[in-house]
Amino acid sequence: MMNKTALGAVDYGIITIVIMITLYMGLRYAKNQTSTHSFFSARGRVPSWAIGISLLATLISSVTFLGYPSEGYTSNWILLVQGLMVPIVLLVSIWFIVPMYRKVIGLSTYEYFEKRFGSFARYYSSIAFVLRQFSGMGTVLYLLAVALSSMTGANTFFVIACTGAVIITINLLGGLEAVIWLDVFQGFMLFLSGVICLVLIFFAVDGGPKQIWNIAEAHHRTGFGPYTMDFKNLTFIVVAINGLFYGIQKYGTDQTVVQRYLTAKTNKGAIGASLLGILLTVPVWALFMFIGTALFAYYTQEPLPSTINANGVFPYFIMTELPTGVVGFVLAAMISAAICSLSADLNSLAAVGVEDYYKKIKPGKSDRTYLKSSRWIVVFSGVMTIALGFVYAYLGSEGILGVIFTLYAIFSGGIVGIFLLGLFSSRANEKGVNIAIITCILFTAYALLTSTEIGVGTEKHILLDLGKFNFTHHKLMLGVYSHILVMVIGYLASLFFPKPTINENLLYSGWLKIKREEKQNRKNEQVLKTDHKNYQEVK
């Protein structure tokens, strides 16, 4: 073992260069940010392949960098199932979701919800997005800071503040265009760093990849089970069903992703970018999960300090086993992953802030005014994210995250249900869906209160103990049930109110009608060409 626990000058140099490149990206595209359209959608200046890689980088952060190896080290690959379900959803739905959004909304995803079901549905879904973004961004900053602090000795608060400042600067200067091109740079760095780490572990383990597999299999670190029909525990069926709904929510209702659809020049380009992004994302998730599996095999052969927990195994390996230069490159990739993911989140938050709220409060203002407000929202959101990171670091525990995620779950359940009702049911209407949303909030609150324990040690107790009426299924099923509840209640409640008049562009059936008309037009054109050709030959 190398037992190297300090960074060298080369490592610091590589990290500095990467941060300078990151800031340069903001300056490089600053001159193009002259309107809200260019600030949030880059006016179609970005090629589809870059948007696809940007989608990859947006979905990959330091949480992936640290979380997936941790899961692979402690368990099998069951949590990878959620990601594996996403391509199934995408390949079925992307063909009509992308053209629909590009046709019916200006910038905010949640404009669709309002056009279909009114303002309550729009604000419910957009508030859910805002809550999720802030809780997730605070988590990313906190985990990055803790990891870098343990690996380099840097002050946790200093890391949070510096990373946050860089993210705010990039967004203020370069907008989404800078974020996308930075994502391209980061995407290559992340994938390359993962491959380097995995190859080095292969060489470090006595017996190589074959022995890694044998050790992992012998200790139940392979596979995606258990495969029982059990909804109370973490099983394959639970993660698979949750993954289907996660895929719809992420690629059908998430502003960060939908904003990429709007950035492409054409519908075909947007669809291609989406397919490229997810087809790259799944292998990266698998790569980092298998790094954890390989680390488990390695540390069955080598002693691991008892003070190192599962979350610290990969950082410990990086600092003690990788050569100088490689350590700097991997840490730079980790920092860059966090910056890119958070930059995309920050830009999307500003887009929602302007489109869903500021324009409603201050309608009819000039685009220059809205652009200025966009930048103020970026600063405010960035400072809030830094503050959340400080709170997590001050508490010294991830316990506070449970509170944030609980609040998000209460007010964001059923988003997919609303979206699917809007897309596939012409009978569903505003009043029916509003009843469903309120029912969903009440159900989610009940499920969380009757399944969440508080307290320390043996003094833990359920927040609301209703005995045999407590919610006992796995928390991942909570999201599934909330979406189904909204669809069922929303449709049934709608039957008590008049059938709405709907713009057919908001429905899947409308998309099918357009496709049939396009097909018929092409057929008619072909017939006309054939008739003209025959006429010319006869003539």
Side-chain angles (χ1 to χ4, degrees):
M1 295 178 66
M2 297 176 64
N3 294 320
K4 175 181 66 62
T5 57
L7 294 181
V10 174
D11 298 316
Y12 281 114
I14 292 172
I15 294 172
T16 301
I17 289 171
V18 169
I19 293 175
M20 294 304 294
I21 291 174
T22 300
L23 291 172
Y24 166 76
M25 289 294 184
L27 292 169
R28 168 69 176 77
Y29 297 102
K31 66 179 182 297
N32 295 334
Q33 312 314 311
T34 56
S35 68
T36 53
H37 189 61
S38 60
F39 191 72
F40 291 125
S41 63
R43 284 189 177 275
R45 287 189 296 265
V46 183
S48 297
W49 66 266
I51 297 172
I53 296 176
S54 175
L55 270 173
L56 161 70
T58 298
L59 299 172
I60 303 295
S61 68
S62 53
V63 175
T64 300
F65 211 108
L66 300 170
Y68 273 75
S70 172
E71 291 295 335
Y73 182 85
T74 58
S75 181
N76 63 2
W77 308 322
I78 188 170
L79 291 183
L80 190 59
V81 173
Q82 186 187 66
L84 295 176
M85 301 307 292
V86 173
I88 297 174
V89 173
L90 193 67
L91 290 171
V92 172
S93 63
I94 203 69
W95 313 103
F96 58 89
I97 288 179
V98 168
M100 180 194 71
Y101 274 130
R102 288 174 60 86
K103 191 168 188 176
V104 303
I105 68 172
L107 180 62
S108 171
T109 307
Y110 312 108
E111 183 181 338
Y112 171 81
F113 287 76
E114 182 175 32
K115 287 184 175 181
R116 188 63 184 84
F117 293 123
S119 57
F120 182 59
R122 178 174 188 168
Y123 292 122
Y124 175 75
S125 55
S126 65
I127 288 171
F129 171 76
V130 171
L131 289 174
R132 184 188 68 79
Q133 292 301 91
F134 275 122
S135 60
M137 291 166 70
T139 305
V140 170
L141 264 186
Y142 169 72
L143 293 179
L144 174 69
V146 169
L148 290 179
S149 179
S150 65
M151 296 165 74
T152 67
N155 182 274
T156 303
F157 295 95
F158 177 76
V159 173
I160 291 172
C162 287
T163 306
V166 170
I167 294 162
I168 292 171
T169 302
I170 294 169
N171 274 277
L172 285 177
L173 293 174
L176 186 64
E177 189 172 9
V179 171
I180 289 176
W181 284 113
L182 185 60
D183 284 347
V184 172
F185 171 70
Q186 178 266 331
F188 284 115
M189 277 196 65
L190 181 78
F191 184 73
L192 183 58
S193 64
V195 170
I196 290 173
C197 288
L198 187 59
V199 169
L200 290 175
I201 298 172
F202 281 169
F203 281 105
V205 173
D206 291 337
K210 184 178 180 180
Q211 185 62 13
I212 290 174
W213 180 266
N214 292 337
I215 294 173
E217 194 170 34
H219 291 83
H220 309 291
R221 292 300 192 277
T222 60
F224 305 98
Y227 301 100
T228 57
M229 289 297 293
D230 176 10
F231 295 103
K232 294 184 177 181
N233 297 298
L234 190 66
T235 60
F236 176 87
I237 188 68
V238 167
V239 183
I241 295 174
N242 178 270
L244 289 174
F245 283 94
Y246 166 80
I248 298 171
Q249 181 163 351
K250 193 68 182 177
Y251 288 88
T253 71
D254 191 286
Q255 175 69 23
T256 311
V257 174
V258 173
Q259 209 168 320
R260 298 302 192 279
Y261 303 159
L262 307 178
T263 302
K265 296 178 182 178
T266 63
N267 289 346
K268 184 178 179 181
I271 292 170
S274 303
L275 292 172
L276 176 63
I278 191 57
L279 292 176
L280 289 173
T281 302
V282 173
V284 171
W285 283 334
L287 170 67
F288 281 92
M289 183 71 79
F290 193 70
I291 284 175
T293 304
L295 285 172
F296 175 82
Y298 177 74
Y299 284 114
T300 59
Q301 297 179 347
E302 297 287 343
L304 181 68
S306 58
T307 55
I308 305 297
N309 59 23
N311 290 325
V313 171
F314 191 31
Y316 178 78
F317 177 84
I318 292 170
M319 292 303 298
T320 59
E321 298 302 316
L322 299 188
T324 299
V326 176
V327 174
F329 182 82
V330 172
L331 292 188
M334 187 189 303
I335 295 169
S336 184
I339 289 174
C340 290
S341 176
L342 291 171
S343 295
D345 291 341
L346 206 58
N347 189 274
S348 298
L349 272 173
V352 168
V354 170
E355 291 293 318
D356 289 13
Y357 298 96
Y358 189 73
K359 284 187 177 181
K360 294 286 187 180
I361 298 170
K362 299 283 188 179
K365 298 291 185 181
S366 67
D367 188 72
R368 185 179 181 86
T369 300
Y370 291 134
L371 178 61
K372 186 177 180 180
S373 66
S374 301
R375 291 194 163 107
W376 277 112
I377 293 173
V378 164
V379 174
F380 173 77
S381 301
V383 171
M384 282 291 293
T385 302
I386 293 171
L388 276 173
F390 282 171
V391 171
Y392 298 162
Y394 177 75
L395 294 176
S397 167
E398 295 181 35
I400 188 65
L401 302 185
V403 177
I404 303 288
F405 292 144
T406 298
L407 290 173
Y408 168 68
I410 290 174
F411 294 108
S412 69
I415 299 298
V416 172
I418 302 171
F419 180 67
L420 293 179
L421 266 183
L423 204 59
F424 294 106
S425 173
S426 61
R427 188 63 184 82
N429 54 49
E430 179 178 349
K431 291 180 180 178
V433 167
N434 287 347
I435 291 172
I437 291 173
I438 293 170
T439 305
C440 177
I441 292 172
L442 294 174
F443 166 75
T444 309
Y446 145 77
L448 287 167
L449 290 172
T450 59
S451 63
T452 303
E453 292 184 338
I454 60 171
V456 180
T458 58
E459 301 297 320
K460 289 184 178 181
H461 63 278
I462 295 175
L463 285 169
L464 178 63
D465 194 346
L466 299 179
K468 65 179 182 179
F469 297 106
N470 287 343
F471 183 83
T472 57
H473 284 193
H474 195 277
K475 289 280 181 70
L476 285 182
M477 291 303 297
L478 176 56
V480 174
Y481 295 149
S482 69
H483 300 315
I484 295 174
L485 182 69
V486 165
M487 285 189 284
V488 174
I489 298 295
Y491 182 80
L492 293 177
S494 294
L495 297 178
F496 292 92
F497 304 99
K499 185 176 181 179
T501 301
I502 306 170
N503 180 347
E504 64 179 15
N505 290 326
L506 301 174
L507 296 166
Y508 172 71
S509 59
W511 177 80
L512 283 179
K513 181 180 178 181
I514 292 171
K515 296 300 289 184
R516 284 194 294 266
E517 290 175 350
E518 290 176 351
K519 184 177 180 180
Q520 186 61 47
N521 289 337
R522 287 195 297 269
K523 189 179 293 184
N524 292 340
E525 288 176 3
Q526 187 62 41
V527 170
L528 288 173
K529 287 180 180 179
T530 302
D531 290 344
H532 180 71
K533 182 179 179 182
N534 292 337
Y535 172 76
Q536 292 294 330
E537 290 176 352
V538 171
K539 186 177 179 180

